[in-house]
Amino acid sequence: MRGKTIGDQELALLQYIAEQDDASVGEVAAGFGEERGLARSTVLTMMERLRGKSYLQRQQVEGVYRYSATGEQDSVVQGAVASFVEKTLQGSVSPFVAFMSHKADVSDSELAELEALVAQLQSRKREG
């Protein structure tokens, strides 16, 4: 996986396609590209780059290529987060936690997920 870098816009595109389950270039250009001012050709180029990096796969259905995220998506998101923490936050998650504590619209499911992560970290700390 190392060496397969992904930019912020590519990551956003990958997440968009993953949320759709699968999508054609036209659908992604309309639903993702238009609001960002991206031409269809730019969206296609980005999608093909992601396919070349094994983050997307495509299958022809009734004469149209449908793109979907591969299992590599989780690792690329984790890599992007790790890079952000290391480069932007100098390895400390404290600024992120401070941000989350001030964020007004944390959903119940997000809060439950954060609590589960903290419990998991505490458990690992006790075992180690």
Side-chain angles (χ1 to χ4, degrees):
M1 186 57 57
R2 293 186 195 279
K4 293 183 182 180
T5 59
I6 186 168
D8 292 344
Q9 189 129 282
E10 285 180 321
L11 181 59
L13 175 63
L14 179 58
Q15 290 175 316
Y16 176 83
I17 293 170
E19 289 169 3
Q20 308 308 308
D21 290 326
D22 74 354
S24 69
V25 173
E27 292 166 350
V28 175
F32 177 85
E34 282 182 11
E35 69 183 42
R36 291 168 176 79
L38 301 175
R40 184 184 189 283
S41 59
T42 302
V43 171
L44 172 60
T45 299
M46 290 172 62
M47 290 171 72
E48 281 299 312
R49 281 188 188 146
L50 289 168
R51 190 170 73 91
K53 295 176 184 179
S54 300
Y55 298 133
L56 290 179
Q57 57 192 3
R58 74 176 186 191
Q59 180 177 5
Q60 197 167 20
V61 179
E62 298 178 11
V64 176
Y65 282 117
R66 310 270 321 157
Y67 291 77
S68 58
T70 65
E72 302 289 329
Q73 182 197 5
D74 290 340
S75 63
V76 75
V77 170
Q78 289 178 359
V81 170
S83 177
F84 173 76
V85 169
E86 289 303 316
K87 292 178 181 175
T88 306
L89 303 180
Q90 289 79 42
S92 173
V93 295
S94 295
F96 173 74
V97 173
F99 165 77
M100 290 301 294
S101 71
H102 291 94
K103 186 178 173 192
D105 59 347
V106 176
S107 71
D108 290 341
S109 64
E110 287 174 318
L111 185 57
E113 192 173 342
L114 288 169
E115 288 171 340
L117 288 170
V118 168
Q120 185 180 29
L121 288 170
Q122 288 172 333
S123 176
R124 278 195 220 149
K125 187 97 169 155
R126 281 186 225 114
E127 290 172 5

